[in-house]
């Protein structure tokens, strides 16, 4: 359908004439062609304002094309896909929902005219899954879109009259997404089977195919297998989200089981030798059976007691550019194991919610899958960050676990925390009482050492990720969080390193702020900027002699949009694991004083 671009046929250098304004698209075909070209330009830029503008212009072209031919499924699909892409370019929950609603409506319309289109089924499932995630944090009822002009942002007739809680609505959307992914998978599985029969006929009497044709067929098989794996992973993600939402333990465990079963199928596809180039066969040999034996390193490495000072992050790793547009078997195996880890991580959270207990076996299994990914790609940033998050959550869980812990006296607290403004965590009560509780001392010491070790391993995982993306605000913030959390411990090794831990936390929060201020990092929203500043101020408040710096950072926080209402919300129970109530109260006092 694409037409060749027009070019100038001027010959020689005759009289200069005023440039004629090129006529814009007029017909349906021209709008579609222009939309495709603009979308390709957006893909080349990837992220940032230029990419966003190209995608917005592409959406405008598809919108005009749809008005000329509202029943064309390709046009509706293209329009819906561009709207879905634009979701990643905004941090506003209201705008995200507006774009998602518009995207979902276009995909639904496209399916009315082409109900068996696997691409449309898959993308509608993705849009519904994303919508389910967003509405749990933002109630869109009563919100009207003010920026999308002619775009219709209703979710569709299926959802217009449902007014349940955000969780109930999310559960319904996830269930629909799962059904869509299963339908998509059935179509893709049928097509893949037919392609395998074509590429590898059972009739051995047929003549051998030319090398070029055989190579092309193998490439198409790999791409089809990769798309099928993507669908199974997406279905697993939707099932995992649904498992965490449902109210009964039995239903939750059943959905987690189904999520893992999707990945079992995906791993079978990833290890099928007929579907991948022979040169990549070895990449799956260590991953059969969910990655058994793939990762030689232990889940949690041994750690030194001394904490090293934070240094200016500099990227020491350059990602090699891919020379092939064929789906990579190794990449798909990594994607599968990342999702295995996500399922198990979600289960640890759900089990803690249901039982109040830490499921260390699930943490171990989840980390094992991340180690499989890192055995294939040692600088896989997502796996490194997931590993850091998981180890940190595990350590935080142990730090909050105080069953059977002896009670500290006032003198014990003063002895361990006399020179600090920070508050001891519950695990520190265990560690600080070790010397006076000999009957439980060994157990408490072991837990204290384990907590320190987990935090140290989490720190190393984030530092490895930072070597690849040295200006990643989220990684820098995580490093600040980890050092702050370690500074709250009261084990002897933590007390010894507390000044360095607090200093490092301050340094990493400062680096995080420098990386995101004035919009220098495009994927950082306003809430994260405010969070970084408040966390930084809290660390400075815990350091002696930093009163002026604390006020300076709090003033910056207020200039960036921080308010008394935000602090009151934090005091209301939304402060998370990092910000402490006593500091939030201090910040509130400063605001009342006219900060």
């Amino acid at each position: 359908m694409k037409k060749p671009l027009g070019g100038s046929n001027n010959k020689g250098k005759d009289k200069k004439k005023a440039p004629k304004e090129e006529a814009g698209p007029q017909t349906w075909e021209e709008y579609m062609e222009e939309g495709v070209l603009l979308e390709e330009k957006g893909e080349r830029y990837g992220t940032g304002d230029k990419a966003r503008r190209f995608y917005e212009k592409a959406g405008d072209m598809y919108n005009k094309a749809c008005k000329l031919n509202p029943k064309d499924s390709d046009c509706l699909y293209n329009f819906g896909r561009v709207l879905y892409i634009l979701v990643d370019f905004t941090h506003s929950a209201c705008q995200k929902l507006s774009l998602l609603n518009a995207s979902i409506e276009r995909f639904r319309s496209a399916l009315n005219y082409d109900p068996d289109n696997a691409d449309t089924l898959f993308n509608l499932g993705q849009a519904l899954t994303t919508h389910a995630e967003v509405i749990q944090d933002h109630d869109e009822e009563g919100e009207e879109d003010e920026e999308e002009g002619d775009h219709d942002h209703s979710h569709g007739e299926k959802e217009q009259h449902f007014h349940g809680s955000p969780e109930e609505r999310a559960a319904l959307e996830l269930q629909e997404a799962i059904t869509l992914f299963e339908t998509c998978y059935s179509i893709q599985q049928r097509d893949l089977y037919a392609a395998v029969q074509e590429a590898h006929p059972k009739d051995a009497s047929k003549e051998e195919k030319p090398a070029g044709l055989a190579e092309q067929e193998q490439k198409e098989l790999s791409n089809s297998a990769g798309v099928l794996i993507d669908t199974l992973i997406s279905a697993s993600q939707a099932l995992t989200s649904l498992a965490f939402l449902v109210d009964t333990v039995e239903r939750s465990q059943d959905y987690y089981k189904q999520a893992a079963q999707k990945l079992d199928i995906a791993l079978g596809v990833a290890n099928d030798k007929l579907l991948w180039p022979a040169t990549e066969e070895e990449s799956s040999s260590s991953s059969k059976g969910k990655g058994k034996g793939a990762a030689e390193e232990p889940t949690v490495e041994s750690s030194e007691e001394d904490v090293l000072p934070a240094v200016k992050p500099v990227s020491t790793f350059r990602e090699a550019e891919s020379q092939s547009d064929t789906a990579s078997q190794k990449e798909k195996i990594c994607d599968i194991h990342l999702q295995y880890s996500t399922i198990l991580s979600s289960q640890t959270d759900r089990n803690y919610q249901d039982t109040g207990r830490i499921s260390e076996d699930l943490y171990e299994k989840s980390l094992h899958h991340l180690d499989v990914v890192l055995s294939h790609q040692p600088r896989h940033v997502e796996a490194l960050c997931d590993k850091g998050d998981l180890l940190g959550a595990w350590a935080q869980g142990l730090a909050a676990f105080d069953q059977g812990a002896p009670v500290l006296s006032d003198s014990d607290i003063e002895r361990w925390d006399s020179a600090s403004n920070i508050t001891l965590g519950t695990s520190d009560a265990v560690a600080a009482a070790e010397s006076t509780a000999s009957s439980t001392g060994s157990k408490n010491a072991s837990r204290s050492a384990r907590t320190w070790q987990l935090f140290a391993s989490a720190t190393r995982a984030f530092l490895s990720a930072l070597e690849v993306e040295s200006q990643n605000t989220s990684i820098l913030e995580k490093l600040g969080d980890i050092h702050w959390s370690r500074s709250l411990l009261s084990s002897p090794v933590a007390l010894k390193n507390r000044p360095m831990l607090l200093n490092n936390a301050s340094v990493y929060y400062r680096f995080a702020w420098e990386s995101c201020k004035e919009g220098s990092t495009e994927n950082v929203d306003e809430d994260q900027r405010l969070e970084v500043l408040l966390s930084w101020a809290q660390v400075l408040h815990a350091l002696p002699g930093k009163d002026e710096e604390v006020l300076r950072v709090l003033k910056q926080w207020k200039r960036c949009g921080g308010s008394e209402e935000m602090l009151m919300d934090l005091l209301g129970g939304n402060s998370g694991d990092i910000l402490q109530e006593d500091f939030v109260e201090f910040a509130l006092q400063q605001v009342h004083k006219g900060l």
Side-chain angles (χ1 to χ4, degrees):
M1 185 198 66
K2 295 182 182 179
K3 295 182 179 180
L5 292 175
S8 173
N9 293 319
N10 292 338
K11 298 179 181 179
K13 294 183 178 180
D14 297 331
K15 288 183 179 180
K16 291 184 179 180
K17 298 180 180 179
K20 293 183 179 180
E21 188 173 323
E22 293 186 11
Q26 300 294 324
T27 66
W28 180 87
E29 290 82 4
E30 290 172 345
Y31 281 124
M32 285 291 288
E33 179 183 350
E34 185 67 14
V36 170
L37 292 174
L38 289 166
E39 194 176 346
E40 289 174 348
K41 290 180 180 179
E43 290 173 357
R44 284 198 292 271
Y45 279 100
T47 61
D49 288 339
K50 285 187 177 180
R52 176 182 55 79
R53 286 195 292 270
F54 279 124
Y55 283 125
E56 287 175 343
K57 291 177 181 178
D60 186 51
M61 292 296 107
Y62 293 139
N63 187 30
K64 291 176 179 177
C66 283
K67 289 181 177 179
L68 293 176
N69 186 358
K71 296 183 179 182
D72 185 84
S73 61
D74 289 338
C75 181
L76 289 163
Y77 169 77
N78 285 4
F79 192 10
R81 189 187 63 250
V82 167
L83 290 167
Y84 183 65
I85 291 171
L86 284 169
V87 172
D88 288 334
F89 289 85
T90 180
H91 298 296
S92 164
C94 181
Q95 291 177 18
K96 284 180 182 290
L97 289 169
S98 177
L99 289 165
L100 285 166
N101 286 339
S103 176
I104 289 168
E105 182 64 15
R106 271 59 185 190
F107 288 140
R108 290 196 194 283
S109 297
L111 286 177
N112 288 336
Y113 305 108
D114 188 4
D116 293 328
N117 187 296
D119 290 337
T120 308
L121 289 164
F122 177 82
N123 280 276
L124 176 55
Q126 290 281 70
L128 285 167
T129 301
T130 304
H131 193 276
E133 293 172 359
V134 178
I135 62 173
Q136 293 177 69
D137 298 321
H138 179 83
D139 187 0
E140 66 174 317
E141 191 170 329
E143 299 276 8
E144 297 291 337
D145 176 53
E146 299 175 357
E147 302 183 14
E148 296 298 321
D150 294 333
H151 299 176
D152 175 13
H153 298 297
S154 61
H155 194 308
E157 295 180 5
K158 201 163 188 173
E159 301 293 335
Q160 284 178 4
H161 305 295
F162 182 75
H163 299 290
S165 69
E167 289 76 16
E168 291 171 332
R169 294 159 65 195
L172 285 176
E173 291 178 346
L174 289 169
Q175 288 170 343
E176 183 183 358
I178 292 164
T179 300
L180 289 164
F181 289 134
E182 288 175 347
T183 304
C184 179
Y185 169 72
S186 298
I187 296 170
Q188 292 170 336
Q189 184 185 40
R190 179 195 64 202
D191 293 344
L192 180 60
Y193 179 79
V196 169
Q197 297 303 308
E198 178 69 22
H200 302 283
K202 294 181 179 180
D203 186 359
S205 63
K206 288 188 177 182
E207 295 183 4
E208 187 174 338
K209 297 178 181 179
L213 177 59
E215 183 180 346
Q216 179 61 29
E217 287 180 341
Q218 185 63 63
K219 178 180 176 180
E220 291 175 0
L221 278 180
S222 297
N223 286 334
S224 296
V227 168
L228 186 70
I229 289 171
D230 290 341
T231 299
L232 288 165
I233 291 174
S234 294
S236 177
Q237 291 169 339
L239 284 161
T240 301
S241 298
L242 187 58
F244 194 82
L245 273 180
V246 294
D247 51 1
T248 67
V249 175
E250 292 75 15
R251 290 180 66 200
S252 175
Q253 293 304 315
D254 182 57
Y255 283 132
Y256 280 128
K257 182 179 179 180
Q258 291 182 46
Q261 288 172 343
K262 298 295 183 186
L263 298 184
D264 292 342
I265 299 171
L267 197 59
V269 174
N271 286 320
D272 191 329
K273 295 180 180 180
L274 288 178
L275 302 177
W276 307 95
T279 54
E280 290 203 45
E281 286 181 14
E282 293 182 3
S283 70
S284 65
S285 61
S286 63
S287 300
K288 295 180 180 180
K290 301 182 190 178
K292 289 184 179 179
E296 297 181 0
E297 63 173 300
T299 299
V300 181
E301 307 86 345
S302 60
S303 58
E304 300 82 6
E305 289 193 352
D306 292 334
V307 177
L308 298 177
V311 295
K312 184 73 174 179
V314 178
S315 178
T316 60
F317 180 79
R318 185 182 293 259
E319 188 75 53
E321 293 184 6
S322 173
Q323 299 299 315
S324 172
D325 57 356
T326 304
S328 165
Q329 182 185 27
K330 181 168 67 174
E331 289 176 358
K332 294 306 174 185
I333 289 173
C334 289
D335 290 343
I336 293 167
H337 283 285
L338 281 172
Q339 179 56 21
Y340 269 128
S341 177
T342 299
I343 294 172
L344 292 161
S345 177
S346 178
Q347 278 186 286
T348 62
D349 293 339
R350 178 62 194 247
N351 284 1
Y352 185 81
Q353 176 181 296
D354 292 335
T355 68
R357 295 186 177 276
I358 301 170
S359 305
E360 295 202 57
D361 60 326
L362 293 177
Y363 277 119
E364 289 280 9
K365 292 176 182 177
S366 182
L367 287 168
H368 174 72
H369 285 291
L370 293 176
D371 286 339
V372 172
V373 177
L374 295 172
S375 72
H376 287 303
Q377 299 181 11
R379 292 294 180 262
H380 195 295
V381 173
E382 183 179 353
L384 288 167
C385 289
D386 284 354
K387 184 172 183 177
D389 283 334
L390 202 63
L391 288 163
W394 190 352
Q396 290 280 14
L398 291 178
F401 184 70
D402 61 351
Q403 291 182 359
V407 179
L408 276 179
S409 66
D410 292 340
S411 61
D412 289 327
I413 296 174
E414 291 175 3
R415 178 162 59 90
W416 289 107
D417 203 33
S418 59
S420 176
N421 292 322
I422 57 182
T423 304
L424 292 177
T426 53
S427 71
D428 308 319
V430 176
E434 288 175 3
S435 61
T436 60
S438 57
S439 62
T440 57
S442 177
K443 181 178 179 181
N444 292 336
S446 175
R447 183 185 300 150
S448 176
R450 182 68 164 164
T451 302
W452 177 263
Q453 189 180 34
L454 288 165
F455 271 134
S457 296
T459 302
R460 281 193 291 275
F462 285 123
L463 286 172
S464 295
L466 196 64
E467 290 179 3
V468 185
E469 297 185 5
S470 61
Q471 296 302 308
N472 187 308
T473 300
S474 295
I475 297 174
L476 291 164
E477 184 182 8
K478 288 286 186 181
L479 281 164
D481 292 345
I482 287 287
H483 283 85
W484 167 254
S485 297
R486 294 172 75 183
S487 76
L488 298 180
L489 303 173
S490 297
S491 59
V493 65
L495 291 170
K496 172 186 174 183
N497 287 282
R498 178 167 289 168
M500 183 65 73
L501 289 166
L502 289 171
N503 183 71
N504 283 359
S506 174
V507 170
Y508 282 121
Y509 284 135
R510 175 167 60 83
F511 288 157
W513 167 243
E514 290 174 353
S515 76
C516 72
K517 66 181 179 182
E518 298 176 358
S520 59
T521 301
E522 292 155 350
N523 292 324
V524 177
D525 61 20
E526 204 60 43
D527 288 342
Q528 187 173 4
R529 289 187 175 92
L530 294 173
E531 187 179 83
V532 167
L533 286 169
L534 212 52
S535 299
W536 183 15
Q538 176 178 244
V539 174
L540 292 170
H541 181 58
L543 287 166
K546 299 289 185 179
D547 294 348
E548 290 186 5
E549 290 187 53
V550 173
L551 294 178
R552 176 176 58 80
V553 174
L554 285 176
K555 287 178 181 178
Q556 181 66 57
W557 169 79
K558 190 175 181 182
R559 284 196 295 270
C560 290
S563 66
E564 178 180 345
E565 289 74 18
M566 292 180 182
L567 295 174
M568 293 299 295
D569 185 51
L570 292 173
L571 287 175
N574 296 316
S575 58
D577 295 327
I578 301 302
L579 293 171
Q580 295 194 311
E581 185 176 328
D582 58 349
F583 171 74
V584 177
E585 290 176 345
F586 165 79
L588 192 58
Q589 290 172 4
Q590 301 309 308
V591 172
H592 289 161
K593 290 179 182 179
L595 183 68

